[in-house]
């Protein structure tokens, strides 16, 4: 890899700054408590300075980003946009209730936040709740999950967006600041990051780990942004190519507002890079597999969530209706597409287009993946990270009437992934087929009652069927409704740790072992005590 002269001259400084931050997982970052634990006074005032230090290093090497690093505007603007919004939960118990709720959602163009066999969460204007109830049976009575969406939205933006007082005060207390650096952890994961920062950070990682990391663009978004991927892998010393290169693909950010999915892919990327040659499991995995990380598959939608609408879900592609932009990328892939069942209204949050692969980003990903297979790549596993509801979902998404050929193995590994997460953090993740609706039952093409959300055109179905990725999963991350898509930033690290445990289990499984249970049993008593403490 050839770097510009200016980059070579400044790289040692940038690397020194970057490497001075303690690393993740066993090297500095400790997961914070799940439900919004406040940051301690001894560290919170340091974060703005460290963030400035990190961003300055990136800017020295790569120049300043072309877009503003956000703010998201003012709190008053957010209060205006979401001032009346609430999130309510329905406990749906039978198919008739689900059908009535699905019809009401379509009729009123409501925003479904989550649907599981246990509950359906919906965001709407609080003044519309009474109108919604007139369309539902009396047995469906909502409970309020989030009464102030505007405040929850504002809380997800970095604290420096509020003002510069903490930044300015930290600059005046350099002595105390230096003594507080130890144990602070990598500042990158203390806040959600903008698209520009993520892109620069990926470039910096490639420069820091040139022997095992390679950055590429898999294509362009509708608005012309690159969809960046970082491939990580360590080939055997003999350099001999022995069959197709086995590959794991991990994606995030298909839906713009699901920031925790993007941060979790970034966390996995950093953890894998910094664990190579230190963690035997990760080292062995990278010697036998490439792992391709795509943190932001929907860069237009992600950017829009920072600049305009924090809760934007779809892409920003123009549709046949001028005032209803965007396609749902997870309903845009070509397998399991059914025009008679698919959401055809461009104003719907689950609209995937009028034909398969109409969404530019889905088409670009599919073309890139097919080209990879034609050049010696074999996709063994696909992890598509989303939020929220803490579920591990396996194919098929478009129907329950057909079982995938290796369903037993898919389900066995999914249960193992959920168990690995539970052992690492104590958080329960349920396992089910992605075809299930709000009521656990078998759906088929002849079903007359509509579902809350159809499953046709899912990415996990396409990779599983078309590219024979034998282990294809959609993992819905934290939480289970307290914050929904607005999970506080202090959940970034613990959620990333959960996915790291799942990735290690997946790697061990693909290497022919029985997951991580054997290695857990061999841990020292001190490690076991730490594990139990983290599970509380």
């Amino acid at each position: 890899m050839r770097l510009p002269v200016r980059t070579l001259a400044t790289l040692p400084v940038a690397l020194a700054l970057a490497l001075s931050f303690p690393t993740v997982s066993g090297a500095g970052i400790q997961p914070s408590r799940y439900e919004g634990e406040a940051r301690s006074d001894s560290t919170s005032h340091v974060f703005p300075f460290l963030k400035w230090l990190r961003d300055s290093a990136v800017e020295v090497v790569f120049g300043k980003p072309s877009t503003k690093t956000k703010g998201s505007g003012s709190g008053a603007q957010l209060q205006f946009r979401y001032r009346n919004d609430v999130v309510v939960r329905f406990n749906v118990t039978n198919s008739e209730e689900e059908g009535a709720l699905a019809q009401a959602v379509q009729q009123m163009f409501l925003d479904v936040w989550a649907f599981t066999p246990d509950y359906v969460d919906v965001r709407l204007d609080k003044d519309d709740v009474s109108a919604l109830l007139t369309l539902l049976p009396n047995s469906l009575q909502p409970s309020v999950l989030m009464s102030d969406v505007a405040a929850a939205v504002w809380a997800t933006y970095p604290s420096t967006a509020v003002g510069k007082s903490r930044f300015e005060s930290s600059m005046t207390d350099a002595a105390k600041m230096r003594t507080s650096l130890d144990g602070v952890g990598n500042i990158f994961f203390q806040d959600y990051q903008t698209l520009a920062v993520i892109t620069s950070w990926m470039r910096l990682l490639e420069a820091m780990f040139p022997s095992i990391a390679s950055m590429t663009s898999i294509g362009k978004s509708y608005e012309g942004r690159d969809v960046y991927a970082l491939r990580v892998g360590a080939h055997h010393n003999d350099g001999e190519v022995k069959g197709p290169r086995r590959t794991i693909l991990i994606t995030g950010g298909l839906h713009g507002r699901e920031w925790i999915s993007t941060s979790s892919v970034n966390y996995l990327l950093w953890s894998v890079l910094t664990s190579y040659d230190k963690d035997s499991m990760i080292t062995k995995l990278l010697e036998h597999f490439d792992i391709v990380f795509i943190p932001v598959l929907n860069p237009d939608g992600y950017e829009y969530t920072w600049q305009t609408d924090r809760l934007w879900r779809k892409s920003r592609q123009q549709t046949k209706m001028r005032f209803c932009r965007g396609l749902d990328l997870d309903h845009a892939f070509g397998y399991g597409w059914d025009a008679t069942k698919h959401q055809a209204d461009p104003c719907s949050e689950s609209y995937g287009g009028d034909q398969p692969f109409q969404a530019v980003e889905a088409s670009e990903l599919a073309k890139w993946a097919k080209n990879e297979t034609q050049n010696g790549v074999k996709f063994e596993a696909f992890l598509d990270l989303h939020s929220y509801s803490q579920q591990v979902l396996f194919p098929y998404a478009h129907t329950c009437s057909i079982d995938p050929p290796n369903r037993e193995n898919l389900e066995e590994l999914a249960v193992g992934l959920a168990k690995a997460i539970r052992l690492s953090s104590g958080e329960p993740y349920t396992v089910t087929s992605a075809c299930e609706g709000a009521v656990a039952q078998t759906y088929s093409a002849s079903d007359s009652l509509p579902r809350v959300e159809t499953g046709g055109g899912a990415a996990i179905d396409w990779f599983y069927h078309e590219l024979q990725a034998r282990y294809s999963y959609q993992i819905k991350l934290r939480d289970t409704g307290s914050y929904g898509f607005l999970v506080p930033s202090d959940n970034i690290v613990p959620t990333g740790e959960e996915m790291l445990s799942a990735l290690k289990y997946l790697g061990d499984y693909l290497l022919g072992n029985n997951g991580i249970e054997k290695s857990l049993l061999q841990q020292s008593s001190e490690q076991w005590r730490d594990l139990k403490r983290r599970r509380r």
Side-chain angles (χ1 to χ4, degrees):
M1 179 180 65
R2 297 179 62 85
L3 296 174
V5 173
R6 182 172 65 90
T7 300
L8 290 172
T10 57
L11 187 58
V13 176
L15 294 183
L17 292 173
L19 292 174
S20 67
F21 300 155
T23 58
V24 299
S25 180
I29 288 185
Q30 295 297 326
S32 59
R33 296 180 66 181
Y34 179 31
E35 291 295 343
E37 178 179 306
R39 296 171 185 165
S40 64
D41 292 338
S42 63
T43 58
S44 62
H45 72 286
V46 182
F47 294 157
F49 174 75
L50 287 178
K51 187 172 183 180
W52 170 83
L53 197 62
R54 180 209 64 208
D55 291 346
S56 297
V58 172
E59 289 178 5
V60 166
V61 180
F62 303 107
K64 293 185 177 181
S66 58
T67 59
K68 292 193 299 183
T69 58
K70 186 58 179 171
S72 94
S74 68
Q77 290 174 324
L78 288 175
Q79 287 289 345
F80 178 79
R81 176 178 289 275
Y82 307 111
R83 65 189 184 282
N84 288 324
D85 285 5
V86 296
V87 179
V88 298
R89 169 165 293 180
F90 293 94
N91 294 312
V92 181
T93 59
N94 56 62
S95 57
E96 287 73 22
E97 289 180 345
E98 180 178 9
L101 182 56
Q103 289 177 338
V105 165
Q106 292 181 19
Q107 182 175 335
M108 297 180 66
F109 297 105
L110 302 181
D111 182 10
V112 176
W113 273 30
F115 65 101
T116 76
D118 298 318
Y119 55 83
V120 177
D121 297 343
V122 179
R123 177 177 70 100
L124 74 167
D125 190 299
K126 61 184 177 183
D127 295 333
D128 293 335
V129 173
S130 58
L132 173 60
L133 293 180
T134 64
L135 302 176
L136 302 177
N138 293 332
S139 57
L140 276 181
Q141 294 298 320
S143 57
V144 178
L145 281 183
M146 193 179 299
S147 60
D148 191 348
V149 172
V153 164
W154 181 244
T156 60
Y157 289 108
S159 56
T160 51
V162 178
K164 294 185 178 181
S165 58
R166 290 196 301 171
F167 171 79
E168 292 169 351
S169 63
S170 65
M171 292 292 289
T172 61
D173 195 359
K176 185 177 181 181
M177 185 166 47
R178 284 194 296 269
T179 61
S180 302
L181 290 178
D182 294 337
V184 168
N186 193 311
I187 187 59
F188 186 85
F189 299 106
Q190 298 301 326
D191 284 314
Y192 294 109
Q193 304 295 344
T194 64
L195 182 64
V197 171
I198 291 171
T199 299
S200 297
W201 182 72
M202 291 175 70
R203 289 180 180 142
L204 184 59
L205 291 183
E206 180 188 36
M208 291 170 62
F209 302 93
S211 63
I212 60 172
S214 175
M215 186 173 172
T216 187
S217 172
I218 68 164
K220 296 281 189 178
S221 69
Y222 174 77
E223 294 182 338
R225 295 180 175 87
D226 282 296
V227 180
Y228 285 112
L230 204 64
R231 181 188 300 274
V232 181
H235 293 266
H236 293 289
N237 294 331
D238 56 17
E240 182 181 353
V241 178
K242 301 177 181 178
R245 182 62 175 173
R246 303 169 71 188
T247 299
I248 301 169
L249 175 63
I250 304 177
T251 59
L254 267 78
H255 296 142
R257 63 190 178 188
E258 297 173 9
W259 289 5
I260 193 68
S261 71
T262 291
S263 69
S264 294
V265 175
N266 284 327
Y267 191 94
L268 288 176
L269 170 58
W270 174 257
S271 300
V272 167
L273 285 172
T274 55
S275 297
Y276 179 67
D277 261 352
K278 299 180 181 66
D279 183 293
S280 59
M281 173 67 240
I282 295 297
T283 302
K284 186 176 181 181
L285 180 61
L286 293 183
E287 288 174 349
H288 290 81
F289 290 84
D290 282 349
I291 308 179
V292 178
F293 299 89
I294 306 178
V296 190
L297 191 58
N298 177 13
D300 296 347
Y302 187 76
E303 180 73 6
Y304 195 73
T305 63
W306 280 87
Q307 301 298 337
T308 306
D309 184 354
R310 171 66 179 85
L311 295 175
W312 186 261
R313 168 184 167 96
K314 301 185 287 183
S315 69
R316 292 294 298 161
Q317 188 168 336
Q318 186 61 59
T319 68
K320 59 188 178 184
M321 293 189 66
R322 179 181 175 185
F323 299 106
C324 293
R325 295 176 68 101
L327 282 76
D328 181 350
L329 300 188
D330 203 36
H331 289 101
F333 288 81
Y335 185 72
W337 181 276
D338 187 339
T340 62
K341 294 175 61 180
H342 208 75
Q343 177 55 254
D345 193 326
C347 296
S348 169
E349 292 288 352
S350 58
Y351 173 69
D354 293 327
Q355 60 186 7
F357 292 118
Q358 182 178 340
V360 170
E361 295 81 5
S363 176
E364 292 288 271
L365 177 64
K367 286 190 292 186
W368 168 81
K370 281 188 173 181
N371 184 63
E372 289 288 295
T373 61
Q374 294 168 3
N375 288 278
V377 169
K378 174 66 176 74
F379 288 102
E380 294 282 353
F382 173 47
L383 300 181
D384 184 23
L385 304 190
H386 285 258
S387 72
Y388 62 97
S389 68
Q390 298 184 191
Q391 294 184 349
V392 182
L393 306 177
F394 56 86
Y396 290 114
H398 71 283
T399 181
C400 288
S401 62
I402 303 174
D403 275 341
N406 67 329
R407 174 175 176 136
E408 183 177 344
N409 297 115
L410 275 168
E411 198 161 4
E412 175 191 7
L413 178 52
V415 170
L417 297 176
K419 185 176 182 179
I421 293 170
R422 180 171 54 82
L423 287 173
S424 70
S425 68
E427 287 297 323
Y429 277 61
T430 59
V431 174
T432 188
S433 170
C435 68
E436 297 290 356
V439 180
Q441 65 176 34
T442 300
Y443 289 85
S444 65
S446 62
D447 287 331
S448 58
L449 291 172
R451 293 179 56 183
V452 171
E453 184 174 329
T454 59
I460 59 170
D461 283 5
W462 188 84
F463 272 92
Y464 177 79
H465 186 270
E466 298 295 334
L467 296 189
Q468 289 78 52
R470 285 177 51 80
Y471 299 102
S472 181
Y473 299 99
Q474 182 180 110
I475 302 181
K476 294 192 174 182
L477 307 170
R478 292 188 180 189
D479 58 7
T480 56
S482 297
Y483 296 100
F485 299 120
L486 305 173
V487 179
S489 59
D490 60 5
N491 279 249
I492 292 174
V493 171
T495 305
E497 283 289 313
E498 290 171 357
M499 289 305 101
L500 181 58
S501 298
L503 178 61
K504 287 184 176 182
Y505 188 98
L506 171 66
D508 203 46
Y509 187 94
L510 293 178
L511 289 168
N513 302 316
N514 295 317
I516 61 173
E517 293 183 62
K518 182 177 179 181
S519 62
L520 282 173
L521 291 173
Q522 294 173 344
Q523 292 187 60
S524 67
S525 58
E526 181 178 349
Q527 289 172 311
W528 267 110
R529 285 195 297 271
D530 180 64
L531 182 61
K532 291 178 180 178
R533 177 185 60 79
R534 291 170 60 189
R535 290 180 61 187
R536 292 192 182 102

